[in-house]
Amino acid sequence: MDAEAIKRSLEGSGLRCTPQRYAVMAFLMEHTRHPTAAEIFEAVNRVDPRSSRATTYNNLRDLVQAGLVREVAVEGRAARFDAKGMRHHHFICDRCGNVEDMEWYDVPRPPSRALGKRILRECELIFRGHCTKCAPRHASR
Amino acid sequence: MDAEAIKRSLEGSGLRCTPQRYAVMAFLMEHTRHPTAAEIFEAVNRVDPRSSRATTYNNLRDLVQAGLVREVAVEGRAARFDAKGMRHHHFICDRCGNVEDMEWYDVPRPPSRALGKRILRECELIFRGHCTKCAPRHASR
DNA sequence: TGAACGATTTAGATTATATCTAATGTGATA
DNA sequence: TATCACATTAGATATAATCTAAATCGTTCA
Ligand SMILES: [Mn+2]
Ligand SMILES: [Mn+2]
Ligand SMILES: [Zn+2]
Ligand SMILES: [Zn+2]
């Protein structure tokens, strides 16, 4: 995706396209690795423009609120982030905590009887187990 | 569930039934509210036996490893815990972060082609949106 | 019984992650 | 150019979780 498209998607969500915010968004779109805030902060600061830690967190919060980025909480580890491109599920490794994309398929919604007065925004399917890298060590643990 | 049953389930997992560990497990089984470690620590210390913060965390870690307790990571908040009784899904409120149980239903597994060399342990379905308490304020936000 | 030893607990220090504060900068608009 | 809301910043602060090293507990077995 080119710079103009990123700019448009930010502005379409009511967010100014600042250099720091653009850099966060562009980095997330180039990397499907689900980086942490600290990794994004570092990566953005290896090139211009520079961005403070507070700004990195602020922008991630804004992008999540705008629905352009997803935050993935992993037990016992820093949150990871993900530009919402194509729909997909996630596989989270029990051992190393890495988050990997899995091809999307439809998930059955709960019956409305079970929802009650709750308002459902999304159904998220998370797979857990051992990733390709960790599966061999699985037996030994 | 009575005390003997808790004792047996701990010992069946190779964990000694210490007073502190028992108290954590018993509290989780009595409360379906998905308390945080801090809440469990407080609750356990309102009655005997007392337990230190480190012990509370240690025991939660041990119980999760033994598969008796589930840890639920919620973005931007402390982890929550859940005695694994009957299978169920979770609804997590976008606004207040509360975790609520939802009746269980079968989730389609990914095709093994998509899994590759990964070892799948479980498929977790998480519903997100606004809980009953927060739904009314949803419009205003 | 009691010595030995691994498992467990403990208070407090430390680390890791994330947010807040208050001052400063920036850009769109009038 | 003046204004004003939005955005950025360094550093302080808050929150969540883990680590450390010493003390205690419980089981085993001589
Ligand atoms: Mn992803
Ligand atoms: Mn539950
Ligand atoms: Zn792994
Ligand atoms: Zn709520």
Side-chain angles (χ1 to χ4, degrees), chain B residues 32-95:
Chain B
T32 177
R33 236 70 86 69
H34 310 92
T36 62
E39 288 165 350
I40 296 167
F41 169 70
E42 261 196 86
V44 161
N45 280 289
R46 272 198 292 271
V47 296
D48 278 334
R50 317 198 91 64
S51 180
S52 73
R53 190 160 40 98
T55 295
T56 304
Y57 275 102
N58 287 345
N59 282 328
L60 284 167
R61 193 227 309 111
D62 295 343
L63 292 169
V64 168
Q65 274 184 11
L68 298 172
V69 165
R70 179 196 322 210
E71 178 175 350
V72 183
V74 183
E75 332 72 63
R77 306 188 185 250
R80 291 164 171 278
F81 297 87
D82 191 2
K84 281 190 184 169
M86 269 192 308
R87 303 184 83 173
H88 59 272
H89 298 304
H90 281 141
F91 184 100
I92 302 182
C93 180
D94 289 336
R95 193 175 160 283

Side-chain angles (χ1 to χ4, degrees), chain A residues 65 71-76 79 91 94 100-103 105-111 113-132 135-136 138 141, chain B residues 65 71-76 79 91 94 100-103 105-111 113-132 135-136 138 141:
Chain A
Q65 274 185 9
E71 178 174 350
V72 183
V74 183
E75 332 72 64
F91 184 100
D94 288 337
E100 299 174 347
D101 289 349
M102 296 277 286
E103 77 182 59
Y105 58 82
D106 218 340
V107 177
R109 293 168 51 98
R113 156 182 55 77
L115 273 175
K117 291 197 185 344
R118 285 179 275 245
I119 295 169
L120 184 65
R121 179 174 56 80
E122 70 166 13
C123 300
E124 183 182 3
L125 185 51
I126 294 173
F127 306 117
R128 295 181 183 275
H130 283 87
C131 74
T132 303
H138 183 214
R141 279 267 272 163
Chain B
Q65 274 184 11
E71 178 175 350
V72 183
V74 183
E75 332 72 63
F91 184 100
D94 289 336
E100 299 173 347
D101 288 350
M102 296 277 287
E103 76 183 58
Y105 57 83
D106 219 337
V107 176
R109 292 167 53 98
R113 152 184 57 77
L115 273 176
K117 292 198 185 346
R118 285 179 275 244
I119 296 170
L120 184 65
R121 178 175 58 81
E122 70 166 12
C123 299
E124 184 182 2
L125 185 50
I126 294 174
F127 307 116
R128 295 182 183 275
H130 284 86
C131 74
T132 302
H138 184 214
R141 276 270 273 163

